[in-house]
Amino acid sequence: ARKFDYEYTNEKGKKVTGTVAMKDLVDPEDDSFGAKIARAALELYGKKRGEDVYMINDEGESFKMKLDCSKLVYYAINKYCPSFARYILGKGARYQMINTGEKLNSENIVWHKTEDESMPDENQLLPGDLLYWVNSVGKVVHTAIYLESGLMAEVWDNTRIVELREFTDYGDGSGPTLVQVNRLPEME
């Protein structure tokens, strides 16, 4: 079984690396659209930021994009629903948050940051949920895909590869703040 490394904070507050099997990231019995998206994101594990990623569009034509956080999301959704990726999703994190949330259907927004609730309960998240962060002036600057077990797949500016990391908020002042979680409806 394929194994993935990830970084997490242990009980002493130290950053350490762990290893997890694919079956523990996304339930192999889960055939939901979200689980498919999560598994597709894992196909790019270890690829470098800026590397060309090849895809097939809804007309069967091959095309490529330079890998970053929003293209990871685009790749994963395009694999199973290229027409949605092409016409609705958008290629930047800001557009993806709006287009998969309030513009498509506000019911797709499963969590939005409020003063009372600074982080979503991990139990309300499902594989394939799309996570969005904003900077200090409210600009959407990052997106990632939730897996399971508190982990997400992402390509962050300073990581430079597709990696797994603990699902967290950088709300400690060290970086962006998690602001919204969108869940896509089931698609064919």
Side-chain angles (χ1 to χ4, degrees), residues 25-36:
L25 290 171
V26 183
D27 180 352
E29 302 296 316
D30 187 348
D31 198 34
S32 68
F33 187 61
K36 290 176 183 177

Side-chain angles (χ1 to χ4, degrees), residues 9-179:
T9 306
N10 68 13
E11 54 280 342
K12 295 179 183 176
K14 279 184 81 170
K15 293 276 186 193
V16 293
T17 300
T19 303
V20 64
M22 171 72 127
K23 68 178 177 56
D24 296 323
L25 290 171
V26 183
D27 180 352
E29 302 296 316
D30 187 348
D31 198 34
S32 68
F33 187 61
K36 290 176 183 177
I37 292 169
R39 282 193 281 279
L42 290 170
E43 293 172 8
L44 299 181
Y45 177 79
K47 290 212 178 273
K48 294 179 183 167
R49 188 180 201 293
E51 188 173 329
D52 286 337
V53 177
Y54 293 87
M55 298 175 238
I56 305 292
N57 68 20
D58 57 336
E59 296 172 356
E61 300 164 337
S62 178
F63 67 101
K64 67 181 178 182
M65 291 183 170
K66 299 272 185 216
L67 186 60
D68 65 9
C69 65
S70 62
K71 303 318 178 293
L72 175 66
V73 170
Y74 192 96
Y75 173 88
I77 293 171
N78 182 78
K79 180 163 182 146
Y80 294 100
C81 197
S83 61
F84 180 85
R86 182 175 182 183
Y87 296 108
I88 297 172
L89 186 59
K91 294 182 178 134
R94 176 172 51 114
Y95 301 109
Q96 290 176 355
M97 184 178 97
I98 293 166
N99 292 348
T100 63
E102 63 193 53
K103 195 171 183 182
L104 181 64
N105 183 343
S106 61
E107 291 179 13
N108 294 347
I109 302 171
V110 293
W111 178 84
H112 189 83
K113 183 178 180 66
T114 64
E115 283 186 33
D116 298 332
E117 190 178 23
S118 62
M119 282 292 285
D121 179 345
E122 186 182 309
N123 295 322
Q124 76 186 99
L125 301 178
L126 296 174
D129 281 354
L130 307 177
L131 313 168
Y132 297 95
W133 286 261
V134 296
N135 63 13
S136 60
V137 295
K139 179 182 176 193
V140 178
V141 294
H142 187 53
T143 184
I145 299 174
Y146 186 76
L147 301 169
E148 271 184 28
S149 307
L151 295 174
M152 63 184 179
E154 69 173 349
V155 182
W156 187 235
D157 289 345
N158 58 0
T159 61
R160 305 212 190 300
I161 61 168
V162 176
E163 69 172 5
L164 306 184
R165 188 171 62 79
E166 257 183 319
F167 159 69
T168 58
D169 180 23
Y170 298 97
D172 59 1
S174 68
T177 302
L178 182 67
V179 70

